[in-house]
């Protein structure tokens, strides 16, 4: 064993040599740290970028920065008063140090030792920025070391102006506001470029303690700090304004509401974005994407306006509505409730409700495929159906009204005869109806039972808008969507919507015949033992529309379309309570009619264009035969070529003058003629 003489240890333990060793070690550590920082390269100036949503006219719909709206501002877009006030309040030597204010650090440490607790901070703007960007708020030594490393890297690779700009756009100003743009909007309802010295002093004082210095939480403390910073601006010669601090006009509570524009729509965009990019919402919100959407700002505003002006704010009644381009499936407008502030639950997407008679067009599409025509007649009378399982089913018509004779399919759709629909469903097979409904876009589970014809299987508003779109466009495959494309920070398109491929073949000719039948709900020519179901809104309509309403004890629907726009509207209560007031049952139709008219205002009137293979003829609605001048009524009706009637009605021929009602077709009792 080798032993070192004690005298040699004494040489190394001499104070001067220890000091030299100490300084050498520190210098080596600092050099090593700087080298490591250099080799690590420049850190990103922000680890979180706002994801921005654009409407279909390229205007900004909304921005997402985590859960907080955010807008980046360059230093040139920020008032000099705010820049000076921030530096004086947070780090007056910012432009002179290299990331650390050593004098402040030692002074703060001394005060902490004297007080026996941490009483004073000494973080520079660069250190605060590093902590905001990359770190948590824990007080461990590991976090402190990481903060130091990020601070060095920021100072090593970026200019002071770049660091200050990043700081101003990321610092927390309280009330969920990150960055000077959000703070300026929230507190004084102004753009950062136009801030006065007094306003700048107020805002610059908040980051030191947002919960203490917010004028909306502690006005006295906020005013004291504002006056202090305003005095610093005067002392340093940045302002020559009077010594008396000018009053600041704070934003009103209404100005400060942070409710999203088109909140239901934006929430759905976020969900769809997460799905197409296979990311979670947190990752999306700060990924810096530019998301170009299908939302039409004017249509969205018009739909929201119709809801607000139709459903009283004093009621708990809710709504869900979707407006869609039937040719593409692009959602142009969406409302998921009457008040996003009160409830963010999207009833247009997430809620399933019974569609009632709005489901009947799917039944009649199947019937047209199975040999029915618009003039196929079935008996409309009180009926009890014996089911294969031994049970009986006894549906009824609205208020118990029946024709008590045969009616045509055209009349059955227009007046929403339930007996005709259930008979048709049982004749063509409920399973076939369910299959065709799925081909049209209804993805919810459908029970293949007789009552399916009356819409007893719940569906979503979105599904109904897709299915009616496929009727409107002649069977072309469409799926609902809100995102056209997504562009990343580097300008690369990472996602583009593609139209779905044809999966299920649909009958274009019979879908057009169905569309023509669905225009009948607005045609009083088809009114008979009951009035057509669209009669209450037909006078509001200025162009051809096709549609169908639906009503259950707790649901009211109106779904319809023009050649270029499909709109589905549902109203009802979240708890499925009955709508006992007659007026409540009219809201869905009123919203639909008002919106469709607003949406088409100023546009040329377009008719539904028939495809090859169909033929239009004038029909006598009562007899279902070709119309002649002697018939009381007539309506232009489309048929698949070869299925149109061949006989003419003869209303005034062969009538026995002594017994006219015995030889002529039975005339129906038109109760609405007495009432109206």
């Amino acid at each position: 064993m080798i032993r070192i003489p004690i005298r040699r240890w004494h040489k190394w333990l001499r104070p001067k040599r220890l000091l030299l060793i100490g300084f050498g070690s520190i210098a080596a550590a600092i050099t090593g740290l700087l080298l490591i920082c250099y080799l690590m390269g420049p850190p990103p100036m922000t680890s979180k970028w706002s994801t921005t949503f654009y409407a279909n006219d390229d205007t900004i719909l909304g921005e997402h920065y985590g859960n907080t709206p955010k807008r980046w501002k360059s230093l040139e877009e920020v008032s000099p008063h705010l820049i000076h006030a921030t530096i004086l309040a947070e780090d007056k030597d910012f432009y002179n140090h290299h990331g650390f204010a050593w004098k402040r650090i030692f002074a703060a440490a001394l005060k902490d030792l004297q007080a026996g607790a941490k009483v004073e901070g000494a973080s520079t703007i660069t250190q605060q920025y590093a902590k905001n960007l990359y770190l948590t708020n824990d007080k461990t030594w590991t976090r402190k070391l990481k903060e130091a490393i990020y601070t060095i890297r920021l100072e090593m690779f970026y200019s002071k102006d770049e660091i200050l700009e990043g700081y101003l756009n990321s610092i927390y100003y309280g009330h969920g506001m990150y960055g000077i743009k959000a703070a300026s909007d929230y507190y004084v309802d102004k753009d950062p470029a136009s801030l006065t010295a007094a306003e700048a002093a107020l805002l610059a004082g908040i980051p030191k303690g947002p919960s203490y210095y917010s004028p909306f939480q502690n006005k006295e403390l906020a005013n004291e700090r504002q006056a202090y910073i305003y005095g610093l601006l005067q002392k340093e010669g940045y302002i020559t304004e009077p010594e008396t601090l000018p009053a600041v006009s704070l934003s009103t509570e209404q100005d400060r509401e942070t409710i999203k524009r088109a909140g239901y729509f934006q929430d759905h965009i976020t969900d769809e974005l997460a799905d197409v990019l296979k990311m979670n919402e947190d990752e999306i919100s700060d990924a810096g994407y530019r998301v170009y959407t299908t939302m039409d700002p004017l249509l969205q505003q018009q739909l929201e306006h119709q809801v607000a002006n139709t459903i009283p704010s004093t009621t708990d009644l809710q709504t869900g509505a979707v407006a869609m381009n039937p040719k593409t499936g692009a959602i142009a407008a969406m409302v998921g409730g009457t008040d996003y502030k009160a409830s963010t639950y999207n009833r247009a997407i997430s809620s399933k409700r019974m569609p009632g008679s709005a489901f009947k067009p799917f039944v009649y599409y199947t019937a047209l495929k199975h040999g029915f025509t618009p003039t196929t007649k079935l008996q409309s009378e009180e009926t009890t159906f014996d089911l294969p399982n031994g049970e009986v089913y006894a549906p009824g018509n609205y208020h118990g009204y029946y024709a008590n004779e045969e009616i045509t399919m055209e009349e059955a759709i227009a007046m929403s005869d339930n007996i005709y629909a259930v008979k048709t469903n049982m004749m063509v097979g409920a399973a076939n109806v369910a299959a065709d409904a799925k081909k049209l876009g209804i993805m919810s589970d459908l029970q293949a039972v007789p009552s399916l014809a009356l819409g007893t299987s719940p569906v979503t508003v979105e599904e109904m808008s897709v299915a009616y779109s496929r009727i409107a466009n002649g069977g072309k495959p469409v799926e609902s969507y809100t995102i056209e494309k997504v562009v990343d920070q580097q300008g690369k398109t990472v996602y583009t919507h593609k139209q779905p491929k044809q999966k299920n073949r649909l009958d274009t000719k019979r879908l057009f015949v169905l569309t023509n039948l669905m225009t009948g709900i607005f045609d009083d020519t088809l009114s008979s033992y009951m009035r057509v179901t669209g009669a209450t809104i037909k006078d509001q309509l200025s162009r051809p529309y096709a549609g169908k309403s639906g009503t259950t004890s707790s649901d009211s629907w109106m779904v319809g379309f023009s050649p270029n726009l499909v709109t589905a509207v549902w109203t009802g209560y979240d708890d499925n309570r009955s709508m006992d007031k007659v007026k409540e049952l009219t809201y869905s139709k009123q919203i639909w009619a008002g919106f469709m008219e607003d949406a088409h205002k100023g546009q040329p009137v377009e008719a539904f264009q028939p495809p090859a293979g169909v033929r239009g003829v004038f029909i006598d609605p009562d007899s279902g035969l070709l119309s002649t001048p002697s018939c009381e009524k007539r309506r232009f009706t489309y048929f698949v070529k070869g299925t149109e009637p061949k006989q003419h009605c003869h209303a005034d021929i062969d009538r026995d003058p002594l017994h006219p009602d015995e030889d002529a077709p039975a005339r129906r009792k038109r109760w609405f003629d007495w009432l109206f």
Side-chain angles (χ1 to χ4, degrees), residues 8 60 72 140 183 215 227 231 291 318 324 381 383 421 430 449 524 546 556 629:
R8 292 186 181 182
I60 292 178
W72 190 278
T140 64
V291 183
Q318 285 293 346
M324 179 181 293
E381 61 186 0
T383 305
V449 294
D524 252 332
S556 177

Side-chain angles (χ1 to χ4, degrees), residues 316-370:
D316 293 332
L317 197 73
Q318 285 293 346
T319 188
V322 170
M324 179 181 293
N325 182 333
K327 299 173 183 177
T328 64
I331 297 177
M334 176 190 295
V335 169
T338 56
D339 185 356
Y340 183 81
K341 181 180 179 181
S343 170
T344 61
Y345 179 67
N346 193 334
R347 295 156 187 84
I349 303 297
S350 303
S351 183
K352 291 188 177 184
R353 306 292 294 232
M354 290 191 293
S357 294
F359 189 87
K360 288 177 181 175
F362 312 140
V363 177
Y364 294 127
Y365 170 63
T366 304
L368 290 169
K369 289 172 55 183
H370 282 72

Side-chain angles (χ1 to χ4, degrees), residues 100-121:
F100 303 94
W102 297 110
K103 289 183 179 180
R104 288 173 57 196
I105 291 174
F106 291 135
L110 182 60
K111 289 185 178 180
D112 290 348
L113 287 172
Q114 292 173 341
K118 187 172 179 59
V119 295
E120 185 157 325

Side-chain angles (χ1 to χ4, degrees), residues 413-432:
I413 292 179
M415 294 180 288
S416 202
D417 190 282
N418 288 341
I419 302 301
Y420 192 111
V422 174
K423 284 183 177 180
T424 302
N425 184 43
M426 296 181 71
M427 291 171 70
V428 301
N432 291 324

Side-chain angles (χ1 to χ4, degrees), residues 40-49 65 72 125-138 142-143 146-155 157-158 162-163 166 170:
M40 292 175 72
M45 282 297 287
T46 175
S47 63
K48 295 182 178 180
W49 298 78
Y65 181 77
W72 190 278
I125 283 177
T126 311
Q127 286 176 281
Q128 293 181 56
Y129 187 33
K131 183 177 71 172
N132 292 339
L133 284 181
Y134 315 112
L135 305 169
T136 61
N137 289 318
D138 60 274
T142 300
R143 203 274 297 168
K146 289 181 179 179
E147 178 187 305
I149 291 174
Y150 280 118
T151 298
I152 293 170
R153 292 172 65 197
L154 285 170
E155 289 279 348
F157 291 101
Y158 296 105
E162 288 175 317
I163 294 171
S170 63

Side-chain angles (χ1 to χ4, degrees), residues 51 150 240 420 464:
T51 287
Y150 280 118
T240 57
Y420 192 111
M464 292 294 282

